[in-house]
Amino acid sequence: MVKLNRAFVALLLLCVAGVFSCRKNPSPSWDTQILAPLIKTSLSINNLVTNTSTSINPADSSVTLVYSDSLYSLTLDSLLKIHDTTLTNVFGGVGTFTFTVNGGNSILPFSTSTDSVTTYKTGSVELTKAILQAGSVELEVRSYIPGITDYTYTVPSATLNGQPLTLTVKVPAANGNIPGQKDTTINSLNGYVVDFTGPSHNGNNDIVTRLRGILDPSINSLVVNSSDSIVIKATFHNILPYYGQGYFGQTKKVVGPSKSNFPLFNNITAGILNLKNVNVTFTIKNGFGVDAQIIIPQLTSINQRPGGVTVPLTGTIINNAININRATQTYNSAMPVNPSIQTYSLNPTNSNILQWVDNLPNSIGYTIQLNTDPLGNVSGNTDFAFLGQGIKAYLDVSVPLYIAANNLTLADTLPVNFASSSQAEQIKSGTFTLYASNLFPFSAGIQLYLLDNNKHVIDSLCSTPQTIAAGVPNTSGFVTMAQNSVLTIPINPLQASRLFSSHNIIVVARFNTGCTTCLPIQYSKIYSNYMLNIKLIGNLDYQVKG
């Protein structure tokens, strides 16, 4: 009887198992834990500054930042402009005369050719010579001569390899009141040397042109009347001088108030930087053969970050006239000028340049006034200018990295992809572990922000900034062994739910070297091998579909 009951129970269990095996199972889910590296980065001195180069002292490997910023540039086209100009010559149509011309002879009265002088419009510039880089000339001839004529238009003032600029056209005969007409063009005036001194070679801005008209040799003879006029138009287009000479006049050019970007500290988003020393050289380079004078009414350090201020530069270069000697010609085509260079050193003893740079400017405000030939035509019409040369003003900044920092803030954006796994249904919670190896002699507060696809902040991972320990200098002030820190960052369910929509993480570091208000300030020298290495590991609890 006992054996029967046991057999019955076994059969019943087998049937139940069979019934459930015929039903479709719901998809199960279970929790698992995944340990995965998320980001790995290194921060060096290159993350502190941008658009700069570093100079390494071979004696001790200390770092100096070297940066150059152009403030102002006056180029040839600002000093000398040769506008598009049309030179018009009209022959005949005035007076009363009649003469007979045989084929092959001049149709111009009184001479075989006629010269004309035209004054070129160059503004206040008294031009005596130019060498052209580019340009073209278009010749239009309208002839009321009742016969085929050959016209030669020459500009003796403009020569290429010693040969004058010449255009020749054959113009058909006029038909009653309808003139014969013909146009021609020289598309390149590159290399032409133009003498603007006129026929007596003692003037300026004057162009000499010459017209010669010959009756076609196929015509036996032709009667020419005073009403049979000739109109010649030569239009010079897009003239670009490579070289100009003359007297460029007393001009006054004011630039500003204006601003230029100063990207040296763009990676710093907030905080205070104290530098022990800084050297700034204000350089004026004059590549023109023109005496000049520069006045700088203002040169301002502008910090446009939230809470930033402006710091006007004080020193002898502000609001005082700086006279600039002219350049000299070398007569070497590879290096045609020997520029005049003047430098003015700005340091903490003759200006407030240290506070100016400590302000961490991301732009510079300036006003510059430039006067050319302030003493008049002292050169006797021998001012000169070459294309590619100019008057330039720029700042050279040299910053030895001997610094004190208070919440000096850097930020770096790194890509992440928490949703790369097709089986990850939901990140429930977990921790991030940040491993830091720091050779810098200052601590760093670290904060991590999650960004969506549009790089908008959607959450922060640290309720309060975590601190990375500073590297410890030896008795010589040099950090030889990195200080290691391990930071644990817990992830709550709300933060975990936002990880899937995160595409980037911003790592924000706030550096501190200690008390920057204490006297004397404790400065730390930065060396070329200093680096902060960061690795972020995710120890995450996932819910995974079966």
Side-chain angles (χ1 to χ4, degrees), residues 100-108 112 149 212-217 220:
T100 301
V101 181
N102 295 322
N105 291 330
S106 173
I107 51 89
L108 298 178
T112 57
T149 49
R212 185 168 185 256
I214 302 296
L215 184 65
D216 190 273
N220 290 326

Side-chain angles (χ1 to χ4, degrees), residues 194-211:
V194 185
D195 180 0
F196 285 93
T197 60
S200 300
H201 301 290
N202 59 359
N204 57 76
N205 298 340
D206 288 340
I207 290 285
V208 177
T209 58
R210 179 175 299 154
L211 178 66

